[in-house]
Amino acid sequence: LLLAFQVRLVMKAYSFVRENVPRVLSSVKDKSGTVHIPRISQYLYFLFAPTLIYRDNYPRNPTIRWSYVATKFAQVLGSLFYAYYIFVRLCIPQFRNSSQETFNLRGLVLCIFNSILPGVLILFLVFFAFLHCWLNAFAEMLRFADRMFYK
C-alpha cells in the first residue's frame, strides 16, 4: 500500500514537471517578464484529484452530491465485507485442510486450482471498490467532473 502511494506521488510529480517546465523554459527563451507558475492551491488540488495528468484547471461540478458520496463509500464497505466473506468461506478452508496433511504436489495443485475462482472474484471486487467506488467518491467530494478513470 505504501509502495503504491509512493508510485502515485512520483507519477504525479513527473506529470507536474512535464507540464510546467516547457512553459517556464519558453518564457525564459522569449525573455518575457512574466513566468506563469502554478499556485500552491492548484498543485494541492492535483495531488488529491483522481487523475495523473496535470492541468491548471479541471472541469468542476457546481455542487457536491453527498448522497452519492455516501453510496459510493457504502459500496466500498460492502465490497470489502464480501471479499472477506469469499476469503473466509472459500480460500481459508482449502489451505487449512492442506496444512494438516503431509506435503505433496498433488494437494498443492488442487489447493491452488480451488482458489483460482475466489481469487478472481476478489480481484474484481478490489477493482470495483477502488477504481469505481473510491475514485468516484473522492471525485465527487472534490467536484471533479472528468470521470474517465478507465481510459
Side-chain angles (χ1 to χ4, degrees):
L1 189 62
L2 183 63
L3 183 63
F5 182 72
Q6 289 175 339
V7 168
R8 183 183 71 89
L9 284 179
V10 167
M11 291 169 68
K12 283 188 177 251
Y14 176 77
S15 176
F16 181 77
V17 168
R18 185 168 173 107
E19 288 291 323
N20 289 305
V21 166
R23 193 182 322 170
V24 171
L25 290 178
S26 67
S27 67
V28 169
K29 185 189 288 184
D30 297 341
K31 296 183 182 177
S32 62
T34 60
V35 177
H36 178 70
I37 298 174
R39 295 187 315 268
I40 295 293
S41 62
Q42 290 173 324
Y43 181 68
L44 285 176
Y45 182 82
F46 170 63
L47 283 181
F48 290 102
T51 183
L52 292 175
I53 300 170
Y54 177 79
R55 299 286 180 254
D56 288 335
N57 295 314
Y58 294 98
R60 305 281 298 268
N61 290 332
T63 59
I64 299 173
R65 299 174 293 171
W66 290 107
S67 61
Y68 182 79
V69 173
T71 302
K72 291 302 172 189
F73 280 135
Q75 288 176 352
V76 169
L77 277 173
S79 297
L80 290 176
F81 281 124
Y82 189 50
Y84 173 76
Y85 176 77
I86 290 172
F87 191 72
V88 167
R89 295 291 284 178
L90 299 175
C91 292
I92 290 178
Q94 293 294 325
F95 289 99
R96 184 175 293 141
N97 293 339
S98 66
S99 68
Q100 295 169 353
E101 300 171 1
T102 59
F103 177 77
N104 60 3
L105 187 59
R106 181 182 179 274
L108 179 66
V109 170
L110 283 175
C111 191
I112 289 172
F113 279 130
N114 287 334
S115 297
I116 288 175
L117 182 61
V120 170
L121 287 174
I122 291 172
L123 181 69
F124 284 144
L125 282 171
V126 167
F127 175 81
F128 173 75
F130 179 72
L131 289 180
H132 183 72
C133 299
W134 188 264
L135 291 180
N136 269 311
F138 272 94
E140 187 66 32
M141 286 190 296
L142 292 172
R143 297 186 306 135
F144 188 78
D146 186 16
R147 308 276 173 94
M148 297 293 176
F149 304 130
Y150 305 113
K151 288 191 174 183

